[in-house]
């Protein structure tokens, strides 16, 4: 089969061509989903800095669309090459704008669905509530931090010891408490929760993470000034140079 194939050329096309057009687009989107989900977790919806969020996700739609178009066109070129022909995407400005409009709506839809699913899942797996007391059992000293979190999961309640929490992770309006392989969402900000648990041995190590000193196995520093923390459970967490000095001082 020789010739140039384009959806804007001769209307006489083979049956397989529209199938390739559709499935190449779907396959490209599927390949980009892991990066999309990482981006959605990194920039979750918040009620503050609205303009910044709009700008970030506007850039996100552009990058997603460029990646989608590049992969899609590459797949089509390869398929047409195997079929003995050539694929012509058409006018890049016109076709690019057409694809971007679809990709932007797809990006927004995936973003909404992704966070709705995460929200629903967090409700099923339980939400943590701190158990606090103004005074210790001796009636004198003030308890500086909660010793337990009460986790409400479906129709049951569980107690999670603060000492068994290995690390904290920022997730939108929640902070995920990681303990013994399980995750418990706590409504709040990482900054506030980390400060509250500071006396329990927790330190901020990244804009998205805090760690329990007792859960650390080793620390490795890099030439860039950043580092990596390995936990006893095997988890690796990034150590940002922004928090490195304060993290070191917490051990002195």
């Amino acid at each position: 089969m020789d010739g140039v194939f384009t959806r804007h050329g001769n209307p006489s096309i083979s049956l397989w061509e529209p199938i390739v057009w559709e499935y190449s687009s779907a396959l490209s989107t599927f390949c980009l989903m892991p990066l999309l989900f990482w981006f959605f977790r990194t920039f979750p919806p918040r009620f503050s800095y609205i303009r910044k969020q709009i700008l970030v996700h506007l850039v996100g739609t552009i990058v997603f669309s460029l990646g989608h178009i590049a992969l899609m066109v590459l797949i089509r070129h390869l398929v047409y090459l195997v079929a003995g022909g050539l694929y012509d995407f058409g006018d890049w400005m016109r076709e690019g704008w057409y694809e971007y409009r679809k990709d932007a709506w797809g990006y927004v839809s995936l973003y909404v669905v992704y966070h709705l699913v995460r929200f629903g899942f967090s409700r099923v797996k339980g939400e943590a509530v701190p158990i606090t007391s103004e005074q210790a059992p001796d009636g004198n000293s003030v308890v500086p931090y909660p010793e337990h979190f009460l986790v409400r999961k479906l129709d049951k309640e569980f107690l999670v010891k603060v000492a068994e929490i290995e690390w904290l992770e920022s997730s939108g309006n929640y902070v995920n408490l990681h303990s013994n392989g399980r995750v418990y969402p706590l409504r709040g900000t990482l900054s506030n929760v980390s400060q509250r648990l500071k006396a329990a041995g927790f330190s901020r190590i990244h804009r998205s993470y805090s760690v329990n000193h007792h859960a650390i196995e080793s620390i490795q520093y890099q030439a860039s000034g950043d580092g990596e923390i390995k936990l006893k459970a095997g988890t690796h967490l990034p150590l940002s140079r922004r928090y490195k000095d304060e993290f070191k001082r917490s051990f002195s």
Side-chain angles (χ1 to χ4, degrees):
M1 182 185 300
D2 298 319
V4 176
F5 302 96
T6 171
R7 62 184 179 188
H8 294 291
N10 192 329
S12 178
I13 60 176
S14 301
L15 179 62
W16 58 269
E17 293 181 74
I19 298 176
V20 171
W21 298 342
E22 292 299 322
Y23 280 91
S24 61
S25 177
L27 179 60
S28 301
T29 301
F30 180 78
C31 291
L32 292 171
M33 277 189 175
L35 288 176
L36 270 182
F37 293 160
W38 170 82
F39 194 76
F40 293 165
R41 288 195 303 270
T42 305
F43 299 99
R46 300 181 185 277
F47 293 106
S48 58
Y49 304 105
I50 301 298
R51 291 183 180 178
K52 180 181 178 181
Q53 290 188 73
I54 293 175
L55 178 60
V56 165
H57 290 295
L58 177 61
V59 173
T61 61
I62 295 173
V63 173
F64 167 62
S65 184
L66 290 174
H68 173 247
I69 293 173
L71 282 174
M72 179 181 67
V73 172
L74 176 61
I75 293 172
R76 292 177 183 179
H77 273 300
L78 292 175
V79 173
Y80 274 78
L81 186 62
V82 171
L86 295 174
Y87 173 73
D88 181 14
F89 184 64
D91 181 82
W92 279 89
M93 291 295 293
R94 181 181 66 244
E95 294 299 313
W97 174 245
Y98 171 77
E99 293 294 338
Y100 172 73
R101 287 184 299 172
K102 293 195 304 178
D103 291 338
W105 280 114
Y107 177 99
V108 172
S109 299
L110 286 171
Y111 183 78
V112 171
V113 171
Y114 176 81
H115 284 291
L116 284 176
V117 170
R118 279 179 62 90
F119 177 80
F121 182 65
S122 68
R123 302 283 75 74
V124 172
K125 68 183 181 181
E127 180 178 348
V129 178
I131 299 177
T132 59
S133 176
E134 290 299 324
Q135 292 185 325
D138 59 15
N140 297 315
S141 58
V142 176
V143 178
Y145 58 88
E147 296 183 355
H148 295 83
F149 284 94
L150 178 66
V151 179
R152 299 187 177 98
K153 183 177 180 180
L154 299 180
D155 59 343
K156 296 182 180 180
E157 293 184 342
F158 303 87
L159 283 178
V160 178
K161 291 183 179 179
V162 168
E164 294 180 353
I165 298 173
E166 298 153 355
W167 53 290
L168 312 175
E169 176 189 20
S170 176
S171 179
N173 296 322
Y174 285 83
V175 175
N176 289 331
L177 315 177
H178 293 260
S179 175
N180 297 320
R182 297 188 177 185
V183 183
Y184 305 101
L186 170 68
R187 182 177 289 276
T189 64
L190 182 61
S191 177
N192 289 339
V193 177
S194 298
Q195 186 63 34
R196 191 172 187 184
L197 296 181
K198 187 175 182 179
F202 284 78
S203 289
R204 187 81 174 268
I205 58 171
H206 188 272
R207 70 174 185 175
S208 300
Y209 304 104
S210 289
V211 68
N212 184 346
H213 299 169
H214 305 289
I216 296 175
E217 178 178 294
S218 63
I219 305 172
Q220 182 177 0
Y221 298 103
Q222 303 168 358
S224 63
D226 295 324
E228 184 178 73
I229 296 175
K230 181 180 179 181
L231 304 186
K232 296 175 183 177
T235 303
H236 292 259
L237 299 176
L239 172 59
S240 172
R241 54 188 168 186
R242 174 184 174 186
Y243 298 96
K244 185 174 66 174
D245 292 338
E246 183 178 352
F247 174 66
K248 288 182 177 180
R249 286 195 297 269
S250 66
F251 290 96
S252 59

